[in-house]
Amino acid sequence: MRAFQVTSFDTPAALIDAPATPPAEGEVLLGIQACGLNFADLLMANGTYQDTPTPPFTLGMEVCGTVLALGAGVTTPALGARVAVFGGQGGLADQGVFPAALCREVPDTMTSEIAAGFQVAYGTSHLALTRRAKLQAGETLLVMGAAGGVGLTAVEIGKAMGATVIGVARGAAKMAVAKAAGADHVIDASEDITAAVRALGGADVVYDPVGGPSFKAALRATNREGRIVIIGFASGDIPQIPANHLLVKNITVIGFYWGGYLKFNPTALTDSMGELLDWYAQGRLKPHVSHVVPLDKAADALELLRSRKSPGKVVVAP
């Protein structure tokens, strides 16, 4: 089979011919139809992600595929079922083995490309806004990086929860994407973000996958008793938080790592995904896949993320 693998952190990941692996006990073998890319794949490729495996390993955290074989003790999903699964690695390949318990059958109305890119982005925003930030209807949600893979989902989910959503994105094209996803107001990232948000009444909840100067601007625009959820640091700059500002304005800064729940509370993830699939079936969510790229162009697909040229989700389809 073909697999896009990291063999060393000193050399770029590359497409190689690799031996197919049969499923072990509790696993299924999938014929991979689509793999969603995430910023974490970039970090994993250079060894800086918090859950980076030891090389060699195949990149690709979330997939959709058809069950080709069952490991010992597996009764569901059934052979031939089309499922989505977050495996953490192994998705950028023709085939892969994944834990059967983490697989969820995909509705017929959902394409494999959408299903592959649905889990991390929507799961991250849903759990961050419901469980961690406890966003309430009528509050104002500020989404940084609002045209990115997770930012767009935060816009959609915030609107579905009854919030007024302010999206920050760079350039007219990305601002239009955020607006189309449901943002009530959009701000260009090159503007004075603090002043623009304050002019709209400030933010009660901030969703920040960007970090750096954007975090500092958002903090200054956060209302008293506001909550800031740290999703990641796409800017490459991890901000230092002035604790005195938190104290004076009674602001809470919340860390959130979606993948970490696999280790200490996987039920939170499966419950969240069940609700999201219901919302999708009801037409409340409109996932935006901006690029579908073949496996032999996986390096180009990752570059779309690195250069921030993807307004929406990037999916690789073997």
Side-chain angles (χ1 to χ4, degrees), residues 8 10 21 23 35 48 63 65 73 75 114 165 168 172-173 185 222 229 231 240 244-246 265 277 282 298-299:
S8 166
D10 297 323
T21 304
C35 174
T48 57
V63 305
T75 56
I114 287 177
V165 179
V168 177
H185 311 280
T222 301
V229 188
I231 305 297
Q240 299 302 303
N244 58 318
H245 289 203
L246 309 185
N265 189 359
L277 289 173
Q282 295 163 15

Side-chain angles (χ1 to χ4, degrees), residues 97-139:
V97 292
F98 302 94
L102 299 180
C103 294
R104 296 191 67 95
E105 290 204 34
V106 175
D108 292 339
T109 55
M110 181 180 274
T111 68
S112 296
E113 290 79 13
I114 287 177
F118 188 83
Q119 300 163 90
V120 173
Y122 278 94
T124 293
S125 294
H126 182 262
L127 212 59
L129 295 177
T130 58
R131 185 185 183 94
R132 300 294 283 143
K134 294 180 170 55
L135 177 67
Q136 302 297 308
E139 290 189 312

Side-chain angles (χ1 to χ4, degrees), residues 125 129 133 135-136 139-147 150-152 154-155 158-159 163-169 178 183-189 192-210 213-223 226-231:
S125 294
L129 295 177
L135 177 67
Q136 302 297 308
E139 290 189 312
T140 296
L141 169 66
L142 173 62
V143 179
M144 313 305 291
V150 293
L152 273 176
V155 170
K159 285 301 296 179
T164 296
V165 179
I166 304 171
V168 177
D184 298 283
H185 311 280
V186 288
I187 298 169
D188 195 301
D192 183 336
I193 295 171
T194 300
V197 174
R198 283 177 173 172
L200 294 169
D204 301 306
V205 173
V206 176
Y207 179 100
D208 183 22
V210 179
S214 294
F215 174 90
K216 298 172 185 176
L219 174 59
R220 291 192 294 270
T222 301
N223 294 330
R227 291 91 71 201
I228 302 175
V229 188
I230 297 175
I231 305 297

Side-chain angles (χ1 to χ4, degrees), residues 37 42 297-310:
L37 295 188
L42 294 175
K297 300 292 185 183
D300 295 338
L302 288 169
E303 183 57 32
L304 287 170
L305 295 187
R306 184 179 289 108
S307 63
R308 300 193 202 177
K309 292 181 179 178
S310 53

Side-chain angles (χ1 to χ4, degrees), residues 20-93:
T21 304
E25 183 176 357
E27 294 181 333
V28 295
L29 173 67
L30 298 186
I32 296 172
Q33 297 175 346
C35 174
L37 295 188
N38 297 276
F39 188 77
D41 288 305
L42 294 175
L43 301 179
M44 198 177 290
N46 61 28
T48 57
Y49 189 58
Q50 57 260 34
D51 281 338
T52 300
T54 301
F57 63 88
T58 300
L59 290 170
M61 304 175 76
E62 54 178 341
V63 305
C64 179
T66 302
V67 179
L68 301 179
L70 306 178
V74 176
T75 56
T76 58
L79 285 171
R82 191 166 61 104
V83 300
V85 60
F86 174 81
Q89 60 173 299
L92 288 177

